[in-house]
Amino acid sequence: MGKRSRQRQKNQNASRDDRDNAGWGAGYADIIKENKLFEDYYKEQGLIPEGEFDQFMEAMREPLPATIRITGYKSHAKEILHCLKEKYFKDIQELEIDSQKIEAPQPLSWYPDEQAWHTNMSRKLIRKSPLLEKFHQFLVSETESGNISRQEAVSMIPPLLLKIESHHKILDMCAAPGSKTAQLIEMLHSDMDVPFPEGFVIANDVDNKRCYLLVHQAKRLNSPCIMVVNHDASCIPMLQIDSDGGKDILFYDRVLCDVPCSGDGTMRKNIDVWKKWTTSNSLHLHGLQLRIAVRGVEQLAVGGRMVYSTCSLNPIEDEAIIAALLEKSEGALELADASADLPGLKWMPGVTSWKLMTKEGQWFSDWSEVPSSRHTQIRPTMFPPKDPEKLAGLHLERCMRILPHHQNTGGFFVAVLVKKAPMPWNKRHPKLRKSAPTQTGGSLAADVPRLLPEGLAEETEDGGPGGRGDGETETAGAPLAQEAAGKQDAVCGPPPSKKQKLFGYKEDPFVFLTEDDPVFTSIQSFYDLSPDFPKRNVLTRTHEGKKRHLYMVSKELRNVLLNNSERMKVINTGVKVWSRNSDGEEFGCAFRLAQEGIYTLQPYIRSRIIRVSVEDIKVLLTQENPFLSKLEDDAHAQAKQMGMGSIVLKYIPNPNNPSEPQCPIQLCGWRGKTSIRAFVPRNERFHYLRLLGVEVFRDKQGLGQKSRDGAKEEAAAATKAEQEGELENGDENGSLEPKIEGGNKESSSS
């Protein structure tokens, strides 16, 4: 059993993230980009339009263009786009290197609002020009602060086809490394004025270590509506939530099912695929892909959408899965027509006939041709349905195939499924037994009855759910009725399910605070929190001792957390809003604001706010501890009226002055006795300075450089503070004065 589990985990990792982090140019010159079996297979399948096969193969051998996506929420994304177009793309258009004119980055025609761009510039080319080097530094810095993602073009398609709205409950089944998860979070927060959207994203991955990569990606967006969990996607547990005074099963409005695959669509950048590709990869993964897809539609709400995608062009992993799903659903699922959803995207319709080839080169057109000795490797669900009428009713042509030579991308497959009714094995929902009263505070370690065992879908002979024949299906929720009632209830029933084994690191607990927790007393008075501040959504990660950090989640995620601690391994959730600062106690509050959560928290704060101008922000972000007198008169007057301690520095855009940033900016800071400082990580400082029109770059060592009158001692002390991690929050406030061009930097003696 252990060996099989490890193999399953290995399979789920296979090549899934190959398309999520697009590279910058070619490499692997020693690998010959030839694979006769691959060419023979795809020629025989007839998946490439007539006369285009040579173009297809030629494109596969070319390095993949680098693609970037502007992330973050709408108003900030617009400012970054403006910065890119006005500062970098214009200059690049006029650039020549070695008598060769550089092709400027171009927007992806099908991605909304010019938020995604691609370029053929290689790493080698970037190193030859100082201007391109600055552009590269800009991309690296903005990527680290979460404002730009390097993500392959085709990887951006599935979240767009989900049509996310702010109230949707979303499950991302195989989420690491997290580029698509980030897209989902951005769509939830399309309205920046709403700190807590009703919807949320539960991002899952089978690999414990990769879950932390997922956490890193999600944390860049500072959302209180994301939860990272660690489960095998093919048997991810059903969750329960409080609903209308009782318990209910959590069904998702949207499910992203981007399954592990053989990855032959990634050959342009994952060069190893050329020598490793065989047809057996697809045969081995087909069963797992089908089980994950089945589990996805089981947890999808009626009326919801699920997007199934792979970076493989092989019909065994693509149309075969969709056809099997549609057949098993008996009309509960429908393949949606997404042809009008992404105007500008070139794609081929899904195929309705395909054959199967073994790695020895033997072909099979139908299950009846397969010898019994191969029945364990080759399954009936790998073939297209034989009945022409049934096949036509599936509308497999609505699947979308993206071919590399059509728009200079990787290869990709995507299909959109809409759930019209409960799955046939899922139609009767058994009643939930009474559980322990819902907690309003305290640890999540309450004894909540298990809702569903994780192993609903075992590996099967026919690839169907639960491994049963059509006449022997079991309701997905049936284990709910089998929950063991305690002896005090005097109810007979089957024994309780085995407790789930959780692997990987043991996570700290998630402990929600009660509304009367003493920690709120000083916070409430110091920051003058509004009466509607949701205290019950605040949590910490420790039972005992002083609380170091306080986090916030949305009330919907709180509901999920409190009801599912026993059946779900949560890796991370919540956004940090306060950090303990022992110096603050003498000023009235032991907790200072954290930059990560300022956009979530600020709408509830009614004091400790200083309105600042563009020039004020430049001073605060380029000088270490400027005197209050360095601020302009308005901000200076506000600061003088305020006591020492944590503050919010708030910039409100002026629509009558388009030369200034047109997005709100909120920074955490500290009002000292005679000085003031911003508590903002270094990359975020660079980001905000760029928004303000200040040219920022770093030297080759990656350290911010002092300029003009910065004293060496101050630089050394600041660098030491950075290295020692002076701030609890992990902020990089060390050598914070960047190298600045054009005389925009404030002199420290001015």
Side-chain angles (χ1 to χ4, degrees):
M1 186 66 189
K3 184 176 178 183
R4 180 172 149 194
S5 297
R6 285 194 298 274
Q7 184 61 38
R8 171 186 290 173
Q9 182 162 314
K10 189 176 175 184
N11 285 344
Q12 289 211 19
N13 292 336
S15 83
R16 186 172 64 247
D17 58 330
D18 290 338
R19 60 189 173 273
D20 278 329
N21 297 301
W24 284 86
Y28 302 96
D30 54 328
I31 293 179
I32 298 167
K33 297 177 181 178
E34 297 287 344
N35 187 313
K36 190 170 186 308
L37 191 67
F38 175 84
E39 292 193 41
D40 291 346
Y41 182 78
Y42 280 106
K43 267 183 186 172
E44 184 68 26
Q45 293 284 19
L47 303 175
I48 315 302
E50 197 171 339
E52 293 183 19
F53 194 83
D54 289 343
Q55 289 173 261
F56 166 73
M57 289 305 300
E58 194 177 322
M60 284 295 234
R61 293 186 181 100
E62 288 294 315
L64 191 67
T67 44
I68 58 171
R69 184 173 60 80
I70 299 169
T71 60
Y73 310 135
K74 281 192 175 175
S75 58
H76 277 236
K78 284 179 183 173
E79 291 296 323
I80 296 167
L81 176 60
H82 177 76
C83 182
L84 269 174
K85 289 168 85 170
E86 295 302 313
K87 279 198 176 176
Y88 296 99
F89 294 167
K90 268 188 179 177
D91 294 337
I92 292 170
Q93 281 176 341
E94 311 300 322
L95 192 63
E96 283 192 17
I97 296 177
D98 298 339
S99 304
Q100 178 188 349
K101 194 169 182 186
I102 301 302
E103 187 182 328
Q106 299 294 320
L108 296 178
S109 59
W110 46 267
Y111 202 94
D113 304 322
E114 291 190 331
Q115 296 290 295
W117 295 69
H118 67 109
T119 172
N120 281 318
M121 285 185 285
S122 67
R123 281 193 180 95
K124 187 177 178 182
L125 198 62
I126 284 171
R127 284 196 291 264
K128 286 187 175 183
S129 162
L131 184 63
L132 292 182
E133 177 62 29
K134 280 185 197 175
F135 173 51
H136 187 246
Q137 279 199 18
F138 168 82
L139 294 179
V140 170
S141 177
E142 292 294 322
T143 300
E144 286 173 5
S145 56
N147 300 299
I148 280 177
S149 284
R150 297 188 197 182
Q151 179 182 0
E152 191 182 330
V154 289
S155 173
M156 305 174 193
I157 295 170
L160 293 175
L161 294 178
L162 278 172
K163 297 185 176 179
I164 303 294
E165 295 176 23
S166 62
H167 62 276
H168 283 154
K169 298 182 283 291
I170 307 160
L171 173 64
D172 189 351
M173 299 189 76
C174 308
S179 298
K180 286 184 277 296
T181 309
Q183 276 180 278
L184 301 175
I185 299 168
E186 290 160 36
M187 292 169 182
L188 275 184
H189 289 274
S190 56
D191 184 355
M192 269 190 80
D193 294 330
V194 180
F196 291 105
E198 287 181 36
F200 56 79
V201 177
I202 293 181
N204 173 70
D205 202 83
V206 69
D207 188 319
N208 184 261
K209 290 179 182 175
R210 285 164 58 88
C211 282
Y212 295 95
L213 180 63
L214 190 52
V215 170
H216 173 72
Q217 281 272 34
K219 271 188 174 297
R220 298 187 312 163
L221 290 164
N222 299 327
S223 170
C225 305
I226 167 77
M227 181 191 294
V228 176
V229 299
N230 179 202
H231 288 279
D232 180 343
S234 65
C235 47
I236 189 169
M238 283 270 193
L239 304 181
Q240 94 183 59
I241 51 174
D242 293 326
S243 178
D244 299 326
K247 302 286 183 190
D248 209 346
I249 298 171
L250 171 62
F251 288 104
Y252 300 94
D253 302 298
R254 298 289 187 267
V255 173
L256 177 55
C257 187
D258 183 50
V259 296
C261 64
S262 62
D264 60 19
T266 70
M267 281 180 161
R268 298 184 67 177
K269 73 175 193 300
N270 188 17
I271 314 294
D272 281 352
V273 178
W274 281 99
K275 61 179 181 180
K276 292 180 179 176
W277 188 91
T278 76
T279 54
S280 58
N281 297 343
S282 298
L283 303 183
H284 292 156
L285 285 164
H286 173 90
L288 174 65
Q289 291 164 338
L290 184 54
R291 291 195 302 277
I292 292 173
V294 165
R295 196 65 179 138
V297 294
E298 282 174 350
Q299 302 213 17
L300 186 64
V302 173
R305 287 166 79 92
M306 182 175 97
V307 168
Y308 175 89
S309 61
T310 73
C311 54
S312 169
L313 297 172
N314 197 328
I316 310 302
E317 303 177 64
D318 299 340
E319 285 90 351
I321 302 291
I322 299 301
L325 260 184
L326 292 169
E327 281 196 274
K328 290 175 188 303
S329 77
E330 299 175 9
L333 294 176
E334 179 181 282
L335 199 49
D337 182 357
S339 57
D341 290 348
L342 293 178
L345 178 67
K346 292 180 183 175
W347 53 277
M348 298 295 297
V351 295
T352 53
S353 66
W354 59 88
K355 295 186 285 185
L356 188 148
M357 185 175 78
T358 65
K359 65 179 179 182
E360 294 82 20
Q362 188 177 3
W363 287 92
F364 299 108
S365 300
D366 188 75
W367 167 247
S368 60
E369 301 172 5
V370 181
S372 57
S373 60
R374 290 192 176 270
H375 280 189
T376 52
Q377 294 92 28
I378 299 173
R379 303 301 309 140
T381 51
M382 296 176 181
F383 296 93
K386 283 196 286 188
D387 184 345
E389 194 175 323
K390 183 186 282 188
L391 183 62
L394 299 181
H395 296 293
L396 291 179
E397 70 281 355
R398 292 178 180 171
C399 297
M400 303 169 78
R401 295 180 148 268
I402 290 91
L403 300 180
H405 62 292
H406 284 169
Q407 284 181 307
N408 199 10
T409 65
F412 204 69
F413 173 87
V414 63
V416 182
L417 294 156
V418 175
K419 191 169 181 179
K420 298 292 187 184
M423 303 307 286
W425 59 90
N426 222 164
K427 279 184 178 170
R428 295 188 317 278
H429 296 304
K431 291 181 181 177
L432 286 163
R433 291 188 180 275
K434 290 179 182 176
S435 62
T438 307
Q439 292 171 287
T440 54
S443 166
L444 290 182
D447 185 21
V448 183
R450 289 173 54 78
L451 195 84
L452 196 79
E454 286 66 36
L456 173 74
E458 293 295 328
E459 189 159 358
T460 73
E461 282 294 309
D462 65 350
R468 300 171 187 86
D470 287 339
E472 205 186 339
T473 56
E474 181 182 323
T475 57
L480 299 176
Q482 297 176 2
E483 288 180 317
K487 289 184 180 178
Q488 67 275 19
D489 292 331
V491 177
C492 294
S497 309
K498 285 183 182 177
K499 188 168 182 178
Q500 178 193 11
K501 282 187 178 179
L502 298 175
F503 298 96
Y505 306 106
K506 185 177 180 184
E507 296 298 325
D508 292 330
F510 295 84
V511 185
F512 282 96
L513 306 187
T514 56
E515 290 189 335
D516 57 357
D517 192 294
V519 84
F520 284 125
T521 309
S522 62
I523 289 177
Q524 176 78 53
S525 58
F526 190 74
Y527 296 103
D528 189 19
L529 297 180
S530 60
D532 59 342
F533 175 71
K535 292 179 182 176
R536 295 173 65 199
N537 296 2
V538 178
L539 61 87
T540 185
R541 300 295 302 270
T542 179
H543 284 293
E544 298 166 359
K546 287 188 175 181
K547 302 170 178 69
R548 284 192 65 208
H549 304 296
L550 301 180
Y551 304 83
M552 285 193 78
V553 295
S554 64
K555 69 175 183 181
E556 289 78 11
L557 270 188
R558 179 183 184 275
N559 189 349
V560 173
L561 267 168
L562 285 174
N563 282 291
N564 300 282
S565 63
E566 289 298 305
R567 67 182 64 87
M568 182 172 67
K569 181 175 181 185
V570 180
I571 300 295
N572 193 279
T573 191
V575 61
K576 189 191 297 181
V577 288
W578 281 292
S579 287
R580 181 175 288 278
N581 179 6
S582 52
D583 291 343
E585 289 189 47
E586 59 184 285
F587 309 126
C589 183
F591 286 90
R592 66 170 177 83
L593 298 163
Q595 181 65 29
E596 296 98 307
I598 192 62
Y599 288 96
T600 299
L601 193 59
Q602 196 277 323
Y604 301 103
I605 296 175
R606 297 185 296 184
S607 73
R608 310 293 302 170
I609 299 172
I610 297 177
R611 286 276 302 271
V612 291
S613 67
V614 166
E615 291 306 313
D616 291 330
I617 297 178
K618 286 180 184 177
V619 169
L620 289 161
L621 295 183
T622 57
Q623 298 185 30
E624 183 65 22
N625 273 309
F627 289 115
L628 295 177
S629 56
K630 292 286 183 74
L631 300 178
E632 292 190 336
D633 293 345
D634 185 22
H636 187 197
Q638 295 174 64
K640 282 172 68 176
Q641 298 296 317
M642 199 171 289
M644 294 170 67
S646 189
I647 53 172
V648 180
L649 301 158
K650 186 173 184 177
Y651 164 76
I652 297 175
N654 178 6
N656 298 321
N657 188 355
S659 65
E660 294 183 345
Q662 293 302 299
C663 62
I665 296 175
Q666 294 169 21
L667 309 175
C668 290
W670 186 269
R671 200 281 201 205
K673 191 173 182 180
T674 58
S675 64
I676 190 167
R677 73 178 296 181
F679 277 167
V680 183
R682 180 170 51 192
N683 279 317
E684 283 195 47
R685 288 179 175 239
F686 290 170
H687 163 66
Y688 286 121
L689 284 169
R690 288 188 188 101
L691 290 190
L692 301 176
V694 179
E695 179 92 23
V696 184
F697 63 98
R698 290 183 280 181
D699 69 351
K700 292 288 183 185
Q701 282 72 43
L703 294 173
Q705 294 296 296
K706 312 287 285 183
S707 70
R708 293 200 185 169
D709 304 326
K712 288 182 182 177
E713 292 82 3
E714 184 187 343
T719 305
K720 185 180 178 187
E722 179 186 330
Q723 290 168 347
E724 291 175 356
E726 180 184 61
L727 295 174
E728 282 183 74
N729 209 22
D731 293 349
E732 297 170 311
N733 289 297
S735 180
L736 292 164
E737 297 192 14
K739 189 180 286 185
I740 296 174
E741 289 190 344
N744 284 315
K745 183 178 178 304
E746 298 285 334
S747 167
S748 59
S749 61
S750 61

